[in-house]
Amino acid sequence: MNGGVFKVTCVVILSTLIGWILYIGRPVLVPLAFGVIATYVIFGIANLLQRIPYIGAKLPVGIRSSIAVALLVLTIYVSINLLISDRDRLIALAPKYQATLLALVGKIAADLQAQTEPTWESIRRDMFAKLNIQGIVTATLSSLSGMIVTIFVVALYTAFLLAEHARFRRKLARIANNAAAMHIVSVVNKINAKIGMYLALKALLGASIGLLSWVCMLFVGLELAELWAVLIAVLNFVPYIGSVISVGFPTLIAGLQFGQWSEVLLVFATLSVLNFVVGSLVDPYLMGESLNLSPLVILVSMAVWSSIWGVAGAFLAVPITVGLLIGFSSFESTRPFSVLLTHKD
């Protein structure tokens, strides 16, 4: 057999096997992956705290890490508490939203003079008779307890990873007694530094855009603005698609709440401007070209990891791809793969 064909066959078989293992092992691997991501965020924020003028460099590593842990725990606690406190209110508002939706469809049908069979009237009867927004909301929120259990498991993984981090680095230092081992240690440190900084900056950007979005939605008078702001902050970790949902979902809620175009357009315009400024100006300025990932590669990686790990895969796609890019570029045999993943020629 030709050597090149044999290598390609081995790569395909190995990739398929790894994908299958990742898919069947997602109940264990997804919380572990989020634990690793949380660890990266903590160390990334600790490194950012070191850059604070005058006092940052004077803070010991333990203090900076403790502050980062406290910030992450506080954020998670506030988010969960917000979900729990707004659960009953959201369920109570669901019938109102459904009635507003039916009224909007009727208004649009009247404006288009399309009230006769089998057009708008049949759509309203056949489709919206089966649409139960309260049922959808209830089913969505019923998974809240499972999500809280997952968060607890992730926190447990994160605690053990933080405890083992220093010991693991000492082990790496001990085994780095030859050129090959030292190179692997260097690659691991490079991956840790780049992913940690990326996730820390994304967390800060997410908190910023969530806070600004909350102010805008509160100004308009949108119900449950705090809950939607948390959703927007979380979706900041999902490239491209996250921005679309961050704008589209609150705009839809505004339409269901107000039933008037003025408030809907105001919510849409303000959130669109915020996402454009953060996504197209602030994010590239802070990140620079350090990631150097092709936009097509980002979209494909999101599709691949979402198919393997569901929604969690969309959040983890970019950090995993960055780690693969650094790993591929660090070894001669896999360097061609890293060239295909990069944005630059």
Side-chain angles (χ1 to χ4, degrees):
M1 181 183 289
N2 183 275
V5 175
F6 178 74
K7 289 181 180 179
V8 171
T9 304
C10 290
V11 168
V12 171
I13 294 175
L14 182 61
S15 300
T16 304
L17 181 61
I18 292 174
W20 179 73
I21 293 173
L22 290 173
Y23 179 77
I24 65 171
R26 62 189 183 278
V28 175
L29 295 177
V30 169
L32 178 59
F34 273 111
V36 173
I37 294 300
T39 306
Y40 275 126
V41 170
I42 290 170
F43 285 112
I45 293 177
N47 291 333
L48 287 178
L49 291 174
Q50 189 178 12
R51 301 185 180 185
I52 297 177
Y54 305 114
I55 64 172
K58 299 178 181 179
L59 290 175
V61 177
I63 298 296
R64 287 188 277 113
S65 299
S66 299
I67 294 174
V69 170
L71 289 174
L72 187 61
V73 170
L74 179 63
T75 301
I76 295 174
Y77 172 77
V78 171
S79 301
I80 293 177
N81 187 59
L82 191 61
L83 284 171
I84 295 175
S85 62
D86 285 343
R87 177 179 178 176
D88 295 336
R89 187 181 172 195
L90 185 57
I91 294 175
L93 288 172
K96 172 189 170 183
Y97 290 162
Q98 181 164 340
T100 306
L101 180 60
L102 292 173
L104 282 174
V105 171
K107 184 178 180 181
I108 294 174
D111 292 340
L112 296 177
Q113 297 180 350
Q115 287 281 4
T116 58
E117 292 279 349
T119 55
W120 281 101
E121 187 62 34
S122 62
I123 293 175
R124 293 169 61 190
R125 184 187 64 240
D126 297 335
M127 181 179 294
F128 290 103
K130 301 176 183 178
L131 180 64
N132 187 350
I133 294 181
Q134 186 171 10
I136 295 173
V137 171
T138 303
T140 303
L141 293 177
S142 63
S143 61
L144 181 60
S145 58
M147 185 178 67
I148 293 176
V149 172
T150 302
I151 291 175
F152 174 77
V153 174
V154 171
L156 196 62
Y157 280 131
T158 304
F160 278 99
L161 286 169
L162 289 172
E164 292 288 334
H165 177 263
R167 188 179 295 110
F168 181 71
R169 290 182 68 91
R170 290 195 297 269
K171 290 179 181 179
L172 283 179
R174 281 201 299 268
I175 67 174
N177 54 3
N178 57 64
M182 290 180 64
H183 182 59
I184 294 176
V185 171
S186 174
V187 172
V188 172
N189 290 335
K190 188 176 180 182
I191 292 174
N192 289 341
K194 184 163 287 192
I195 295 181
M197 186 58 64
Y198 165 78
L199 290 171
L201 289 174
K202 290 297 286 186
L204 292 177
L205 284 175
S208 300
I209 193 173
L211 180 61
L212 292 174
S213 300
W214 172 71
V215 173
C216 294
M217 291 184 290
L218 196 65
F219 175 77
V220 177
L222 190 66
E223 295 170 330
L224 304 174
E226 299 85 358
L227 186 61
W228 312 137
V230 171
L231 178 65
I232 291 172
V234 172
L235 288 172
N236 181 65
F237 284 90
V238 182
Y240 308 129
I241 300 175
S243 297
V244 174
I245 300 176
S246 296
V247 175
F249 188 76
T251 301
L252 175 62
I253 296 298
L256 295 177
Q257 177 183 339
F258 299 109
Q260 300 292 333
W261 288 110
S262 56
E263 288 86 354
V264 174
L265 291 176
L266 184 57
V267 171
F268 176 79
T270 53
L271 294 184
S272 296
V273 170
L274 281 176
N275 277 272
F276 174 78
V277 171
V278 173
S280 301
L281 301 178
V282 180
D283 198 328
Y285 173 76
L286 292 177
M287 300 293 180
E289 297 184 355
S290 57
L291 296 182
N292 194 25
L293 285 177
S294 167
L296 178 61
V297 169
I298 293 176
L299 289 176
V300 172
S301 66
M302 288 177 58
V304 170
W305 286 104
S306 297
S307 65
I308 297 175
W309 283 351
V311 177
F315 288 90
L316 299 170
V318 173
I320 292 174
T321 307
V322 170
L324 291 175
L325 173 62
I326 298 172
F328 288 155
S329 64
S330 302
F331 301 95
E332 189 66 32
S333 59
T334 57
R335 195 159 294 156
F337 293 103
S338 68
V339 176
L340 294 176
L341 297 176
T342 55
H343 181 57
K344 292 181 179 180
D345 295 333

